[in-house]
Amino acid sequence: MNKDRGIIKWLPFQSLTPTKEVVNQILQEKEKVTKPIISLEQQEEIENLIMEAFYEQIEATITYYYQGYIIQETTSISQINQVSKKIILKNNHIILFNQILKIVL
């Protein structure tokens, strides 16, 4: 049985400054995931929940995919641009509809 030492095996390289940056970049790249596939029904449900959260000014927990990471934020929606398919959150983050994976009211 092969036992991985995890981050411990990289600790000796932390003393070398240029290597430290490269190791940190490699570790960040390893944490990235591929974007999950959302069905059309799920997309419609997400869009309906976005509209409901916007018009009723309900705080929602939005899970979205951004540059290889899955991010979760709890906030309310301040604007919706249906032409460009964007939502603007209260904290001024802009999220595209196709980035949203899940929304919970």
Side-chain angles (χ1 to χ4, degrees):
M1 184 164 149
N2 188 5
K3 213 171 180 187
D4 186 18
R5 295 177 291 152
I7 193 71
I8 295 171
K9 65 184 169 196
W10 298 105
L11 289 179
F13 296 105
Q14 295 290 339
S15 63
L16 304 171
T17 307
T19 308
K20 179 180 177 181
E21 294 170 9
V22 171
V23 169
N24 286 338
Q25 287 175 354
I26 291 170
L27 292 174
Q28 285 178 349
E29 288 295 319
K30 284 181 77 174
E31 291 177 2
K32 289 187 176 183
V33 295
T34 58
K35 184 179 177 188
I37 299 171
I38 304 293
S39 69
L40 291 175
E41 292 85 20
Q42 289 172 320
Q43 285 178 347
E44 288 178 16
E45 183 181 341
I46 288 170
E47 288 180 12
N48 290 336
L49 288 172
I50 289 171
M51 294 299 180
E52 182 180 343
F54 174 68
Y55 288 118
E56 295 184 18
Q57 287 299 305
I58 300 172
E59 226 176 57
T61 301
I62 300 172
T63 305
Y64 61 97
Y65 180 84
Y66 182 72
Q67 294 183 351
Y69 298 100
I70 295 178
I71 302 168
Q72 188 173 19
E73 277 190 58
T74 302
T75 186
S76 56
I77 300 169
S78 63
Q79 289 181 2
I80 297 176
N81 187 338
Q82 289 185 335
V83 175
S84 61
K85 295 283 189 175
K86 293 179 185 176
I87 63 169
I88 300 172
L89 306 177
K90 287 286 184 192
N91 56 7
N92 291 327
H93 279 127
I94 298 173
I95 302 174
L96 299 174
F97 278 23
N98 63 358
Q99 291 177 316
I100 299 174
L101 304 174
K102 181 179 170 185
I103 183 168
V104 178
L105 302 180

